[in-house]
Amino acid sequence: MKIWTKLMFHGGIALPITYLDQIDHYIQFLHVQRKSHSIDFHLHQGCEIYFLLQGDVKYFVEKTVYPLQFGDLIITNQHEIHKPSFSSDVVYERITIEFDPLIAAQYQTEDFNPLSCFYDRPIGTRNKLSLTSNDSAALLSLFMKYDALKNHPSLGNAVMKMGCFMEIMVHINRLFQEQKITDQGLDLHHKLSPVLDYIEMHLGEDLSLDQLEKQFFINKYYLIKLFKKYTGNTIHEYIIYKRISLAKKLLAEGSSVTEACMVSGFNDYTSFLRMFKKKVGILPRDYQKNYLG
């Protein structure tokens, strides 16, 4: 079955989409239970819904660290760097849904935008939704329904999955709109916050550890240790992902690959191509082609 649609999305992109016959490509549902392990910073090609079932988890999004407990929900878009970190090696269980935003955009109406909670907020803010027990139970029921549809396909399976997915999206947007108290996350160390702010504003410049040490009068080895403590990863990896995120934004806005490379701080073109392919999965020109149609 093919559904072709022409839609305006993020700056006037018009493209046809065939999705129901490839729904598992456009909507990737995962229910994972395993021992805690190290996970690096990452960016997705689309949006992600993250629902914690069990584990000793802190979730890092951009410059904010959120402590999580059962039933907490994290939402991110393709421009928000994120990662979970673990305070112990207890069993870790979570549900994630990664999806192409163009699919959800097709169900926008005059009074409802299913992508509102993912994009209608400043980047790196309002990523965590703390749910009541009733809200958690309702969402978990929908997740389990999708899980069952994925594992036991039958006639009309793709249509059923699409309906369940959109029910999840409506539910999350309602929770987002009704959230009266916004979780601001944990306060970062007072010496770390200005460093992250500086990185954000100077991605196209020298961000070596020696430069940061001079800028903030902070020992670079202490900075490495401090960043690792709060995020579970290295500051070098964080800078790379921030630059990749900026490059994706520039490419989506129509900048040339060369311009995206230089403005985002990758001074070597070949290294930029290699790193972009490693982190995003495709070359910059292919990413731009896919985005702009």
Side-chain angles (χ1 to χ4, degrees), residues 13 23 76 91 96 118 128 164 174 188 233:
I13 304 168
I23 194 167
T76 52
V91 173
T96 59
F118 293 90
K128 177 184 174 182
C164 184
R174 284 176 179 168
L188 290 177
N233 216 309

Side-chain angles (χ1 to χ4, degrees), residues 225-260:
K225 182 178 178 180
L226 193 63
F227 193 85
K228 182 79 172 179
K229 176 182 177 182
Y230 276 85
T231 70
N233 216 309
T234 67
I235 193 166
H236 175 68
E237 192 74 0
Y238 176 77
I239 291 169
I240 287 175
Y241 271 103
K242 288 297 296 181
R243 285 175 164 161
I244 291 292
S245 179
L246 177 57
K248 288 173 67 177
K249 181 176 182 292
L250 292 168
L251 291 167
E253 292 172 349
S255 296
S256 69
V257 175
T258 301
E259 184 179 5

Side-chain angles (χ1 to χ4, degrees), residues 168-281:
I168 290 169
M169 293 291 286
V170 170
H171 202 77
I172 290 175
N173 272 277
R174 284 176 179 168
L175 293 171
F176 181 82
Q177 296 296 335
E178 293 168 1
Q179 195 95 144
K180 294 180 173 57
I181 300 176
T182 302
D183 193 325
Q184 303 296 325
L186 298 174
D187 291 331
L188 290 177
H189 191 280
H190 69 281
K191 289 189 175 181
L192 195 56
S193 292
V195 174
L196 297 188
D197 289 338
Y198 180 84
I199 290 171
E200 179 81 30
M201 300 300 295
H202 297 85
L203 288 171
E205 303 172 20
D206 177 15
L207 292 175
S208 64
L209 286 169
D210 288 335
Q211 171 61 23
L212 294 175
E213 184 177 56
K214 292 177 184 176
Q215 181 71 29
F216 293 96
F217 306 100
I218 182 173
N219 181 275
K220 60 184 178 182
Y221 299 108
Y222 175 66
L223 178 59
I224 291 171
K225 182 178 178 180
L226 193 63
F227 193 85
K228 182 79 172 179
K229 176 182 177 182
Y230 276 85
T231 70
N233 216 309
T234 67
I235 193 166
H236 175 68
E237 192 74 0
Y238 176 77
I239 291 169
I240 287 175
Y241 271 103
K242 288 297 296 181
R243 285 175 164 161
I244 291 292
S245 179
L246 177 57
K248 288 173 67 177
K249 181 176 182 292
L250 292 168
L251 291 167
E253 292 172 349
S255 296
S256 69
V257 175
T258 301
E259 184 179 5
C261 168
M262 301 306 293
V263 173
S264 59
F266 291 96
N267 296 319
D268 182 85
Y269 185 76
T270 302
S271 296
F272 169 63
L273 296 182
R274 184 173 62 251
M275 188 61 68
F276 195 97
K277 175 71 179 294
K278 180 180 178 182
K279 302 300 186 184
V280 181

Side-chain angles (χ1 to χ4, degrees), residues 124-141:
T125 64
R126 300 189 68 188
N127 297 95
K128 177 184 174 182
L129 301 183
S130 296
L131 312 183
T132 66
S133 57
N134 287 340
D135 290 331
S136 294
L139 261 184
L140 184 57
S141 177

